[in-house]
Structures are given as C-alpha cells and as structure tokens.
Amino acid sequence: MASKKSKSSKTTGSDSSIQDFLNEKGVTIQFPEICDSFPIQEITMSSCRVACPAGVNIKAYLGAITRGDFQRALEIVKETNPLPGICGRVCTHPCESECRRGEFEDPLAICALKRFIADYELKNGSKNIEPCKRTKKENVAIVGSGPAGLTSANDLVRMGYGVTIFEELPVAGGMLITGIPPYRLPRDIIQAEIDNIVKLGVELKTNTKVDNIDDLFKQGYKAVFLAIGAHEGLKLKVPGEDEYEGIVDCIKFLRKVNRGERDKPGERIIVIGGGNSAIDSARSALRLGCSEVYIVYRRSRKEMPANEDEIKEAEAEGVKINYLAAPVRIIGKDDKVTGMECTKMKLGEPDQSGRRRPIPIPSSEFVVEADTILSAISQKPYISCFKDCGIKITKWDTFEVNEKTLMTSKPGVFAGGDAVTGPSTVIDAIAAGHRAAHAIDRYICGKPLEKEKSPEIVQRELTPDTFSPERATRLKAKKIPIEKREDSFAEVELTLNEDEAVREAKRCLRCGPCVECIHCIKECEKRMFGISTDKGKELLMVHGLPKNIKLTEEVSAMLNVKGKVAAEVRIEPIVSEVSEEMCRGCGQCESVCNYSAIKVEEKEDGLRIAHVDAAICKGCGTCASVCPTGASHLSLFKSKDIEKELEGFFG
Amino acid sequence: MAKNFIPKIVAFCCNWSTAPVVNKAVESDAQFPPNIKIVKLMCGGMVTLAFILKAFELGADGVFVATCRVEDCHYVTGARRAVDVCDNTKKLIDMLGFEPGRFKLGRFSSLEHKVFEKAINEFIGVIKKMGPSPIKVQRRTTASTSR
Amino acid sequence: MISLKSAIKNSKAYLCLECGKCTSVCPVSKFNKGFSPRVLVNRTLRYSENDILTNKNIWACLTCAMCDLRCPADIAYIDLTQATRLEAQKLGEEAICSHGGAAQAMMRIMTATNLQQKRMDWVDNDLKVAEKGEVLYFVGCLPHFDILFSDKGVHTIRNAKSSVKILNYLGITPAVMPQERCCGHDLLWSGDMENFKKLAEYNINEIKKTGAKKVVFSCPEGYRTFKIDYPKYFDVDFEVQHITELLRDAINEGKLKFREIDKVITFQDPCRLGRHLGIYDAPRKVLSSIQKLKLTEMQRSKKRAVCCGVSAWMNCSFYSKRIQMLRLKEAKETGAELFVLSCPKCEIHFNCAMKEEEARDDIKIPTEQLVTFVADALT
Amino acid sequence: MPQDDLRIGVFVCDCGTNIAGSVDTDALVEEARKMDNVVCSIKNRYTCAEPGQQEIKKAIKEHKLNRVVVASCSPRMHEPTFRGCVSEAGLNPYLVDMANIREQCSWVHMGDREAATKKAGDTIKAYVARARYLEPQEEKEIAVKQSALIIGGGVAGIQAALDLADAGYKVTLVEKEPSLGGLMAQLDKTYPTMDCSI
Amino acid sequence: MMDVGRHPNINLLTYSEVESISGYIGNFHVKVRKKARYVYENECTACGDCTKVCPVIVPDEFQQGFSSRKAIYIAFPQAVPSSYLINMDNCLGTNPIACGKCAEKCEKKCIDYDMKDESVKFDVGVVIVATGMDVFDPTPLDEYGYTKYENVITSMEFERLISAGGPSDGHFIRLTDSKRPETVGFIQCVGSRSEKYGNPYCSNICCMNTIKDTLLLKDHYPDIEAKVFYIDIRAFGKGFEDLFRRSKEAGITYIRGIPGEIFEDPKTRNLKVMVEDTTANKIEEHEFDMFVLSVGVTPRFDMPEVQQLLTLSKTSDGFFMEAHPKLKPVDAPTSGVFFAGCAEAPKDVKDSVTQASAAAARAETVLSAGKVKLEAITSTINTDLCRFCAVCAKGCPFNAISVNPKKKTISYVEALCKGCGTCSADCQFNAITMKHFTDEQIIAQIDAYLEEDPYSKVILFTCNWCSYAGADTCGLARLQYPPNQRLIRTMCSGRVDEKFVLHAFKNGAPMVVVSGCHYADCHYIDANRQTQKRVEKLWDKFERLGIRPERLLLEWISAAEGQRFAKIMRDNEELRKKVTKKEIEHTIKVLTEEEEKKKAKKK
C-alpha cells in the first residue's frame, strides 16, 4: 500500500511529466467542470492541433476565449508558439483546413483569433515579463533571428539555458522583416514579440555575422542552432536571364521595400512564381505605383502555394495572374528587359508533392511585355561560409540534418527552418525551433535525442457527439478598403473585436478530447483530485493535493492490476453526490453540512430531495456518513470502495 | 499463539491531519508497525458505525479512529461528530461482545506524527495483551466464501 | 444455475399470464415506475440468468407479498425473489444497504460462535426471566436497534420488557438466552444464505439447551423466519408462537384483565405477520378485549395492508418514503389517536418518516407497539 | 386349457417391402411352420388385399384351421378386416389374432435385419401361443327403447330435444327451474349476430 | 322455447328433478320428481291477477336481484310453460292459511295449496345431459370489491341492466345514483385462468361477451367511454374478429393488463384502479363510473348429482369428461349417454346448439339401430370362486359390479362392462376372467417371448389405446430404437396383473415396462390409477425382496407420443444393459422361493 513506495519511481510531478505519463499509459484526463468536454474515448488530439506544425493547443485557447479569458488564451498559445501576433497574421494556418467545422461550413477563423489575442495583449499591455531563471550553466548560440531561431531561443531560455542570438542584419526577425511586407505584418508587432522573447533573458546580437562555428564553441557555447533562413533567390535558368537588366530577385526586392525604400521598379512588372513571396512582391509593386503587375505561374490556381486569401486580395488589388504559363526566354532590347516569352502549360500526372506536373504545350509560345521581371521561384540559404566547417550540405544547398533531431553532421550543431527545408512557412519554422530546442536540451543533458513521433489524426469523421447542429457563419475580419491601399503599406486586415472573437471562438465544435490543458490540476487549489476509472469501479486513487499527487506510483499501481494497462482514467473533483432515486429527503445531510452545500429541495409532490451544489461542496463526506439510505456519497470515497479496501486488507 | 500474534488493525484516518501524519510516520520510521490498514477518509466526520462494524466483521483485532483535534478540524465540526459516532459504536460493540479496548479514538494535529506513532503502538500493545478478536478464528475459514 | 431453475419451478413462475396485477398492486411500483414484478418474472423466465441476477430491481422488492396475494396464477413471487437474491449474491451482487450496512455487519458478526455478548442489560429487577424453561422468549434485535434508533425516538427495548411483563403476568417465567443471535431474517432476504444458516443453527442449538418447548416472539420477522424458513433447512422440534396468538389464547381462557382505555386506535398489519402467515385476527382480538378501546380500520387493512416501505435494511429510498407517507396518511385519516404497530421495524420506519417531515400535520400520529400498549393496559 | 385339436394357420405378410425390406419373411414362414399346432404357414405379398384374404379363406377350408394368426401390421389397423375375413370363412371372428411385425418391428429396426427377424419370429411365436387360448365369443344384442331423456332445458337441451322429437322419437325434457331457457334467457343479446336471445 | 312446449313428441317436465337413473344403454329406467307448482300448469292463463294481490315481495332471481317479484310469480314474461307458480319458501303459508289472497283472486281456480310433489317413472333408450353451467361469483375476489362497491357489477348483471326487459327498462344506469355512467371499465378473466380464485381454464365466452357488451353500450350511448382490461382477447370464432374490430372502431379502448384492486371514492362513488399497461410497461391510473367484471363460468353446482346418476367422470376442470376429446367429443364414457352444451365445457350459444344437434344425431344412431351390440371383450365372473371381497367392485370404473360382502352376493351387469380388465387383475382368487385377454393368453405370450435368450429381452405391456398406439406412431414415423423390446397388448394398463410382471421376472426378464395412457386420457375413465397402485405395490415388494425396483418401469405414453416412445425404449435399453446376469438369476431364485412359500401357505 501507500507505505511501501519505491523511491526510485518518478516523483517529479511536473505538468509535462504527468501528461507524458498519462499519454504513455493511454490515460486521458477529463475535467468536466472546467472544459465541459466530452468523455474521452481514445487518446487523440483535436485535428486542428495535430495539423499545427507547432502543436498549438488550439481548442484550449478557443475555449479560453469563449470564457472571455483572453489572458489565459494567450498563455496557452505561448506555450507552443512564442510569436502569436506574427502567426496570427501570416500563418498559412493548416489548422483551419483540418477544422472539423470546415467539413460542413466555413472552418473557424483560428488564425484571426490568434491574432486577436496577440493584439489584445498589445492593446492592454502585456503582463510584466520576468526574465527566466537561469537553471543551467550551459549556453546555446543561435544563428539567425527568424521565427525558427526566436522559437528555439524562447524554449531554451525557458528551460534555463543561456541563449545568444546572432543576427547579421541590424534588426532581428529574419525573413519576417525582410520578406513579409508590412501591410501584412506590421513591424511593431514583430518588434513587440521579439522584445518579449528578449525580456526572457535572451541575448540578441545584431549586426553580427557568424562565419565560423568552431569559434562559437570556443566562446563556450555548448550547442549551436543554425537558423539562417533562405535568402538567396534561385536562378530562372532561361535564356536571356543574364543578358538584360531588369531581372530582380524578389527577395532582394522585398528586402529593399521592407527596409523602407520606395523606388518604383518599373511600370509593367512580371512576377514569376506562385508562392507567398510572389504575391507579396506583386502587391508591393502595386503599392509602389507600378501600373501593371502580372504573375506568371506554371500551374493552375489550385496548385498555387500562396495563401488563398492573399491571392484573392492580390487579384482584388489589380494583380493579373497568368496561370499555366512558364517562362521560356527573356526578351530584351538594349540590355533592358522588354518582355518575356512564355509557353502555355497543361497539367500532367501528379508529382511527388501531389501537385500535377505542368507539361509545356508545344508551339504555344506567347510574349508578355514588361520592363521588370521579378523572379520569385524559390530561395536557398547563403551557405557558402559554413561549407568548410565540416557540415554536410545537400545538393540543394541546404544543411543536411537528422530529420527528427535536426542535428547536422557536426555534433552540437543543429539546423532548422528555411535553411534546411528551403523556403517554407513561418509556422513550420516555429515548429523547427521547438524541435531544435528540445533536441538541444537533450543533447546538452546527454540524453538520447530521439523525439516521440508526432501524433496522427485518429478521428476524422463528424460523429454526432461532436457535431453541433447550430450553424454559424465564419466571421471575416474587417479590411481597409481597396482604394486606400494604393501606395499605403498600412496593414490591410484588421483585428476582430472582443465580441466577435468570442462569437467566433464559440463556433468551435470542441472536437477531439478534452482541451488537455491540465488547467484543472494547476488551477484548483480548493479541491483535490482523484483519478478513477470509467465507472469508478476498479478503484485507484489518489487523495492528496495535485503537487503530491504522485500520480505515477498510484496510477501505475492501478494500471498494473490484472493487465489493465490502458485503462481510461478521469480526474474528478471530490464532491458529494446524491442519488435522486435513493434520497428520501430526510434532511440529515443538510443539517450536518457546514457549508450549506447540500440543500433539501421540494419536489412536485410536496416531498423533498437533497441536492448538492458541487461548486460549494468541499468534499468532507459528513453528509454521506449520516445518510440513512446511502443516497449521498462522496465521490471516490463510496462506502462500497471503503468496504472493498477493508476486504482487500483482510484478504 | 499469543507471542507470535500480530494484531490486524484498521485505522480510519482523516485526510487533513492524520493522513499526512501517517505518511510522515511511514516515511520517517521504518519501525511503523505492519498489519495496519490505514483507511483514508476525507474527514473524521465521515466515520460511520457501519465502517467500524465492517472492520470488526472482517476480523479486525482493533479499530482505531484518528481525527484532527476538535478545534483544528478542517471541516469545522467533523472531529466532534466523530466523537458522537464513536460513543454510539462503543455501546454497540460492547453489547456484541468485543472488549472495550479494541476500539479507540485518537486526535492528532498534522505535525504530531511521533504522538500518533506512540498512540498506535500503545494501542497495539493493548490488543496484543487481549489476543485475537473473538470472531477471528472462525472468520478465517469462512470469510472468503460468505461475501 | 440449477437452483434458479428449480426456484422457477417451485414458485410456478412459468405460469405467469403477464396480466400485470402484481405490478398494479405493488407499493414500490406505485411510486417507482421502473419497477415491475411482472417484468422481473418474465426476465427471469426469458433471458439469461445473468440478466436477472444483475438486475438492480431484484433488490427493490419489499417482499411484502401483495403480489403473491393478487396473482391469479398463484406464483410465489417472494419465494422467487428470495431464491433470485441468493443466486445473485453468489455473483457478488448486493443491495444498497441502509445505514451503511451497519445492521448487516452486526448480524454477520453474530455468526461468530464464541462471542460473549452483553445483551441482557435491559432485564430490570421487576422482570422475571430464567435461563431455562418450557417457554422461551426470543428477544431478537431489539437491544441493538435500541442503540441504533434511539435518536428517532424509538425505544425498541420496551417491547422486550413489555413482552416479559405480559408473560410474567400470565404466570410464565420465560427463558431468555444471553447469547441469543439474530434470527437471520434480514440476511436471508438479502441473499446471504451461508450466514443465515449459521445464525439459524446456532439459535436452534441454544434453544435446545434451554429445554424450551415453546418459543414466543414479539417480532413478526423472527416469527416468520422460525416458522417458515428454519424448518426448510433444520429440524425444529419446538413450537413457535407469536405473542399476539398467546395473548388471544389467554384472553379466550379469561386470564387477562385490562383496565379501560378510552381511545381510538388503528392497527398496522405487518407483512410478515399478515400476508406471510395469515395472522390478522389475533391482534384484533387482543385489542378488542380492552374495554372502551375503539379500533378503526384503515382504508386498506388486514390482507390489503400497505407495507412500511423498507425490508431487511435494504434499498431504503425515495420510494420508501412515499410508501410511508401514504400509509401514515391513511392511518391519520381514520381519525385514530394512536397508531398501533406490531413490528419494531414498522415503528422505526414510520417514525423516521414522521421525523423527517416534522412540518407536516397530515401524517403525524403517535405510534405504539402492541405489546407495550397491552402491557400498560394490564391491571 | 387349450383345446386339443388345435389347427393354427400363420399368414406372414411382406407388405410389399414394408416388412420384407427389413425382415426375412421366408425365414419367418419356415420358423412358424415348426411351431406346435401350426398346420400351415403361408407368405403373402399383401395379406390384407383381396388375394391375401382369399388365401386365408382357402387355407381355413383346406387345412380346417380353427385359429388364425396374421403376422402383418397393427391390429389397430386391420383387425376388423381379418375378423370379417375369417367370419366369412365360417370362423368366429374372435379366433383371429395379429402379430404386429410392421409398426413395431420392421419399421423401427430398419438397420438390423437379423435382430428384426428375431423379434418378428418371437412375436409370431407369442401370438401363436396366445392363439392357442383364443375362444369364440358372442356379441350380445339389446333392444333400445325408442325414447330419450334430456336433462336440462337450456339452449342445448332445447335444441337436442327438438332435433330428436323432429326425428320422431319421444323425448322427455326435464328442467329444474320453473321455465325453460336456462342462462341464455337472461342474456340481452348474443354474439356474433347481436340478436335477441329469447 | 315455445316449440318445445308445443311439440307433440316432447314431454316437458319443468320444475322437476331426475331422482334416479338405472339400467344401461337402450334401457335406462328414469325416476323424476315433479315439484309442486301449486298452480295447475295447464289451466293457468298467465293473466297475472294473482301476482297483484300477493303481499310477499322477494328479490327477482331472473333480474339478478335488481327488481322484485312476488311469492306467486312467473319466471319471466316469455317463460315456457307460460304458467305461474308459488314458491312455498316465500309464500306466507297454507297451514293455517295465513293469506290465500291469490287463490281468491284466481278466476280459473287453478291455485291449489295442497298440491304435492309428483314422482314420474319412465324408460328411455338414451340420455342427453344438457345441464349447463353456472356463472362465477366474484365475491371472494375482494380486490374488486364486488358486493362492497355497488357500482361494480358482473357481466350477467350488465345483461339485465342493458336489457329492454330488465329492471331499468333498458336504461343503463349506475346503481348508486341511477345516473347513466359516462365511463365504464371491463375487467376480463374474472374467475378464469386463475390458479387461485375461480378456475384455471379459459371460460371461452367472456372475451366475446365483453366485446358484445361494449358494442351494446356504444349502440345505446355513442358518447359513452369504455375501456377493457384484458390479458388476451380470444376472438377465434367465425365472425368474432370482425366484432372485435367493430368494437375497437367504435372507440373502445383495450388495455392489456388487469387492475390489481378497485378503490371506491367514498364521495363520488367513482371507481379508481391502478393498472400496468403491459404492452407499454407503464403503470397507469384510471377512473370509472362503473365497472363490469367479466366473470367466467363454472361447472354447475349440482353436477355431482347428475354425475352420480349416470356414473360419469369429470375432467380436471370440473366439467364432464367425454369418451374421447377428439374422436368422441359428444359421447359420455357411459354408453348411451351424450353431452350437449356447457355440461361438457364452457361454450357459447352457437357451440351449444351445435353440440346439441350432434348429441341428438349420436343419440339417433343408437335409437334408429333399434338394438345395441355389446363388445365381446367383457369379464365373466365365476361366483364359485368369488370370496366377495369387493375389490373388483371398488376398482370398476363403470360400476358394472356390485358386491354385498355381508350377504355374499355379487351382481354384474355385462352391458355396463367396457372391458378394461381391471377387475380381473384385481381378483386374487381367479374368479374373474377377462374374455379375449385371459390370464392364460397373456402368460402364454410371456412364456413364448422368454423361451429363448430371456436375458436380452424387455417385456413391455402396452394399453391398446395409448401406448400400443404410441408404438405404432413411432413406427409410422420410422423412429428407430433397439430391437430388444417384446410388446404385449392389453386393452388397458389396468389389466396388467401383478402376477404377469412377476411371471416375466421369474422367467428371466431383465426388465418389465408397464405403460398406459396419461391419467386424464384413460379410455376407461380412471382404470390406470389401479395400474399405478399395482406397480407401486410391486416396487415395494421388490424393495423387500432385494430386487432393484428400477427394473420395473411405469410409463405413461399417449398415442401421439411416438418420439417419446422411442426415447423411452432407448433409455430402458440402457437400463437393461446394466442388469447383470447374476442379478437376474438372483431374482429368479427369490421369486421362485416366494411363490413356493405362498403355495405352501395356501396349503
């Protein structure tokens, strides 16, 4: 029994270990009072959370929003995403495509809600952020202050490491600053979020270029994270590319624009490519006063990697898009570009990425006139300086890393973000940051580096349990009118207001299991928790405060009983319950309750019945002891359970 | 028999004072007597006649009820209630033919694990002198099938 | 399970016509719409044993035998229930015991043969009892209930005192056993055959030792158990008699003299004495021989009497309360000043209900046990 | 005591294949022939059919049989047939008996020809033994009074009385009550026609 | 009814009782007592003047006591014979004449206070029993409060209340306030299908009667509400289902469930019931102005008298037993006696009439033949050997034998004998010979069977009507069983003498089976009870002699139970295999010794 504990078992009791443990054992948690979730059937996460590369606990923060607890929502987001304001604006939000409401109407505006809570913080002033306690003597160097770098810095500093970010440019933010135009991502937002991370105790060295990794190790850094991004545009590789002036790499173009230069690149612009950079470039060009902006993309709109919304906005602003066309040759005159010959394409079989491969249609060439061509086909990292550090480089000029651990071929050197994957999304970069931080931590502590595999989406069907019959239209954030956008780099999309945010968050079907917030354990000081199996039959449990809940021993003791390895476990508050069928309304419970938590109420037939107010009940169980019929009982302390305990003792 | 006799004791303990006391006692002292079943209750007020009788029925040689000190009760009046219940119980188990010493009520604060340990050891000593519960002998052969 | 099959056979449950008369007269069904003796019988017949044995409703029955009385197919429903419970108990099924199972625990404790009980404190100096004798008075659980239910204002031990007083009046010095055990009625009806048998065997042996030829009961449950259940399993070579029968005989022989009592009373027929054993007239004869005493009958009396709502300390519930209220109202409506009862449990249950509903006048009626009433009336 | 000049005839029936299919009837004929007092033993394909009956009649005359045992089917089926048959040949009908070697032998032991034949042989032997003690019996006749008594004057009594009276018999109807009608007279209407009862 | 009164061939004796019947088929001697009516039946013109002056008022039986009649009265206006009578129990008396008002008033002077009961004697060839039935009295079912609550009536009372000739002139009224009820409840199966109250059988007519009643109600008062509480509605006859449908169409509610108790509201005198609607598993409460108990029918109270007169037997339900339930449903086991109507079983009007005609036809077959042949299979009694112990007379199911042990006389009516042979088996002195199934014949059969290889054979005594037929049925179905059985046919299992069984065992039989009809099926009323007694006696004897009683089996097998027959044969073959040779030899020895002892004793 309790007195024969083995000292060796885990006693950390920290949230994550509890959850890890529970997950491992196939145990899930339900806390009806706080999250009115469904009983948990299997261990799954909601599909949105699974879809999120960073694993943001979306349902949880949506739940917090519905309760109007925006601060808590922010905390939940920040647990996994240190850049909510940024993500709330530029995230490609794969979560929304997985949203189960999307299966019958518009998905939730998760991204907009995230932005809302981030902006809420900005507007109302963030809580004073205290620097994290330094608990570990090791230092980590992070090269690059883009989202990947910032995320890993954030995680590592919270773990107690000393973290230094080296940034080549004078401002931190990487591609966030240089690549994304301010009308989508205002600079103050980026700054604020970086500031928040810095406040945690991260050292940020701008204007510092890192050339030699070994130097960093010499300076005492135990690990290095290369998050240098992909800032070098790829060549078009068509005839004429190098002959004429007026062919610009869009990254360079955007960097200039984003730095505040407002020079018009030309009048008629062609942007080649279909990604967000292409759209950003095109829309920026319009804002710079270019009269005509074309986008040439070799596949159809369906395959276009840019955000659907962005494409729509671009079209609305006047960008013309030529689908199914690919450049063949640059045409110029007098060293100046005058146009581009394209060929029409058709879509063939899908390729590895699942998109249908474009095939040129013979003799379908046509010419588009232009004076500037912005190439936005892809980028790669500036990697040359690391080539001789003993780090392996792929044939695409990216770092070669272990996919799971992100460690490069050089021990202690990790790499992530665009520098590994090539140009990708902010949220992927954040995810890489997390992974890197986790791996670095384990590397420094000398633990094996492997990380658990990412969970799969188990439930994809709309089950009646999760289907809310009430339909509600997705709220669209307001935008500034198109006519005002010309020559303005002001932010286009506006934040939701509070009412809107709550209304939108309420559309959440709360699918999947509980919010997994373990808020219950953290918040509840008044009550204690016990864990019981489904019907409370196979008893287990814990009577004690969450901190000394010693879940692991107790649960494992229980779980090892009779092969019950994957028992379903709930966390329930200890309160009195009254069975209506058994209660004869004698009122004895009422008379002994010191808290007036149990009251005898009159029924239609004039006779009475006891009723417990669970919110007031403190769980002393005195009512149960005076109840003559056994109608009143304390959860987890039922007479039957105690009798069983006794019988077990006497064998 | 008497020499090797290790009494089986059931102790009903309040969660707030005596359960931590028990925990502490268990942790601090390996000498804590074996064959004691600590039944944790949320409050001394939860103790019922039925639990105590049940323990005797199953063959307990002694039953100990440990609550907070009356003035310290976490739930205001629980410890006081336990006194009333125990008074009634005493009368009944006396009538049923158990020696009065087999049942005891003790009160402890959450720091008094030494006191608790002492009380328990004393209680065990008393019971050792008395010998096994009168119903124990035949219980042993029949309890398993009767329930 | 062969025994459930034989129970079906013995109770003739297979003859069920499904007419529903049982349900329509069942006091439990009247309030608990989910309870139907008819459904239970048919589940027993049709579905697997597990179906019926794990059915919670088998414990809800009061075994008041109202259904037995009305069943046109003459099915012994309560016998079937008893057998079903015995089987269910083997599967580990149990009723919800009232008072946390204290009563049952007490009874099981009593199965220990070497207990030295101290249960004779109630014998006052003016009562004459002996260790041996031709007539034995079986006290039953009265001393224990006295401790358990004094707070309800029910002092059951007075029954024992009055019974002995009456016997002394008749010139009988009854034997009373200091090591008497519970009769086992409640254990039997809650499915614990093993402990019931232990108690029964002990009691029969003890009684043999006293040399008693006749055992007198004031408790109807003990009487039924000795009269019907004991002989099923053991040789019972003594006569058993309820004290009202003894009183009736004494009155017929002119041995009892009462003072006048100018009162209007009504009388509750306990299920065990009434429908189980068919004794309706003896208590009435006793009461009617007290001069000036007026007995008014309730709307439902004698074999139609309504049960006090709980049996064998099981399943006291929402529905029990309603049955008790119904019965108390009926008693009150007769205009009687006193509600005379002849089972200690009836008294406990009715007083419990009255205490719970102290604010209501329509159910308030003083109660008294027949034996104490009669003992007081003796001149 | 059996009479002295017993002359028993045994007639074994094949019943097509019903008996011959699972019983060796030839052996039975031979076996029967060896029994005491048996003066003739004959096999027929269908003893109950006209040729079979003729055979019996012929044998009675030829062999002066005074007892006949037919080993064939159940007497519940053909006893009246053979009683008629022997009485036509001038024998008292009670002097014939039947050994059942079909329903209780060939049909129920179809898999064991030897045992079935043995059982059939035993049966014939037993019935031959019994036949030795058969006596001629006379059926008595009594004259019937041409009148009827009907007890009860309810609807049934009335109807029966009228039927018999209409057929020309004298009927006495006795009713306990002062009037005819019985229970029915008290009914208002009767189902299913819903008309008046009286 | 009128036709009967008028018919030249019918001699109508009302207010009369049969006192005795003797004789047998073709020659029954009947004695009838004609009770005094005190009014000359043939002279009374039914003018009714007498009634007007009669001072005595008593409840009217015909109207179920709802109205009154005088001491001089006519049963009902259409009565046959249409004549008044005086009920002397009611009449103020004639000696000394206290009243005499009616006689004064009667113009035809046909009232005669001195009239005496008359005895009439005559002979008949056949008897038809049409004694009818009684209606169940629900008073003992206290749960329905009949007689306690006035508004609870029986279906017979309903008939009078709704009848135009009834006490309320056809106005259906509540008895407590004479108001027309708005809601009426009917409870079915009152006194029927009950092991406890009334009778276990279905009374056959009550369902249809209630359906008819509800339709009558709706005919009279279309707005009346009626609910019928039933267990099963048995509407199986021609046109019945249609009627049931009409009733439902008319708006009658049928609820499957029987109320447990009726409560009366003391103020409104309305009736409340709780009932479980068993189709919906719901407990409901209903309130009615009036309740009609659909009472069942019972055998007539005076059946035992008729039973004695004619030596009839009853089935377990109390009605007369027919010779065969399917093949001779109209014939009594006593020859020349036939059943018509409800004497045999509860019936409605149509079935009663049908059976009456059938009985008449059956009677005619006897009458028109002019003579009856008696089966030759009867017993003969050798009075020289008879010791007048009367065991045979007690056992005879047909009372064919009567013995006066004191006077040492025995009389035997062969015409009454049906040939079961119980008497012969009973007789210890070989005084009774069962013709065609004599002791010699049966012993010869046993000997023949056991001559060779006796240890392998089971001797089986089967009664002609059930077990032998059962063996035939088994054969017809080609059900196989082991070939070790040797069957001996007797007319009844009652013929199986103890000595046959002993003889078989003495000759080496490992097992003997005695089998007959099931109790109620016995072709000879109850002769098989004698079989049972005898076998039990043998078992006791075997026990005493150290022979395993299991070797003697007693089995009841009906003609339809071929399958059971085969099973029993297979089972007893198993048992036979367990009987050892040593055991058989021991048996033979013991029985031989026993017999010799007996012989020695006799000498």
Side-chain angles (χ1 to χ4, degrees), chain A residues 15 31 34 67 69 72 75 517-527 529 546:
Chain A
D15 292 351
F31 190 57
I34 290 181
R67 295 195 298 277
D69 189 352
R72 171 67 191 153
E75 279 169 30
C517 60
I518 320 198
H519 197 62
C520 43
I521 295 179
K522 232 190 267 175
E523 291 295 306
C524 184
E525 283 163 9
K526 183 175 78 178
R527 295 202 193 105
F529 294 86

Side-chain angles (χ1 to χ4, degrees), chain C residues 161-225:
Chain C
K161 292 183 185 180
S162 300
S163 300
V164 173
K165 186 178 163 192
I166 292 168
L167 291 170
N168 288 169
Y169 183 95
L170 292 170
I172 303 167
T173 304
V176 174
M177 301 186 289
Q179 291 307 324
E180 180 191 303
R181 296 294 194 260
C182 163
C183 65
H185 171 275
D186 297 344
L187 290 181
L188 179 65
W189 288 99
S190 54
D192 187 350
M193 174 59 89
E194 186 189 332
N195 285 315
F196 163 73
K197 278 190 178 166
K198 277 189 206 159
L199 293 172
E201 205 173 0
Y202 185 96
N203 278 329
I204 290 172
N205 286 337
E206 285 290 297
I207 291 170
K208 270 184 194 152
K209 282 184 208 160
T210 63
K213 291 192 179 128
K214 188 202 265 182
V215 181
V216 178
F217 294 82
S218 58
C219 167
E221 293 191 340
Y223 182 44
R224 179 213 137 98
T225 310

Side-chain angles (χ1 to χ4, degrees), chain E residues 453-466:
Chain E
D453 198 13
Y455 297 176
S456 68
K457 293 170 186 171
V458 176
I459 299 293
L460 200 76
F461 294 97
T462 54
C463 86
N464 179 62
W465 305 100
C466 288

Side-chain angles (χ1 to χ4, degrees), chain C residues 1 3 85-93 191:
Chain C
M1 257 167 259
S3 36
R85 286 178 182 174
L86 291 172
E87 288 305 309
Q89 204 256 0
K90 288 183 195 161
L91 288 188
E93 293 291 323

Side-chain angles (χ1 to χ4, degrees), chain E residues 9 63 78 148 191 198 201 280 303 306 318 395 445-446 545 550:
Chain E
N9 279 347
Q63 303 288 13
Q78 307 90 328
K148 193 163 134 203
Y201 52 81
M303 254 181 69
V306 182
Q445 265 176 297
I446 298 170
L545 296 177
E550 295 91 78

Side-chain angles (χ1 to χ4, degrees), chain A residues 292-334:
Chain A
E292 280 180 76
V293 179
Y294 296 93
I295 289 176
V296 173
Y297 179 52
R298 51 190 184 141
R299 298 184 228 224
S300 70
R301 171 154 182 174
K302 228 169 96 190
E303 283 80 26
M304 220 163 167
N307 287 3
E308 175 71 19
D309 287 357
E310 297 284 312
I311 302 168
K312 275 189 196 152
E313 291 297 316
E315 281 179 328
E317 287 167 17
V319 176
K320 294 176 185 108
I321 306 177
N322 275 320
Y323 297 105
L324 291 167
V328 178
R329 182 166 67 91
I330 308 290
I331 303 166
K333 199 177 156 190
D334 308 332

Side-chain angles (χ1 to χ4, degrees), chain E residues 11-29:
Chain E
N11 175 24
L12 179 58
L13 300 173
T14 56
Y15 213 40
S16 307
E17 285 175 44
V18 178
E19 278 196 320
S20 73
I21 300 180
S22 60
Y24 44 88
I25 180 166
N27 292 281
F28 289 109
H29 315 295

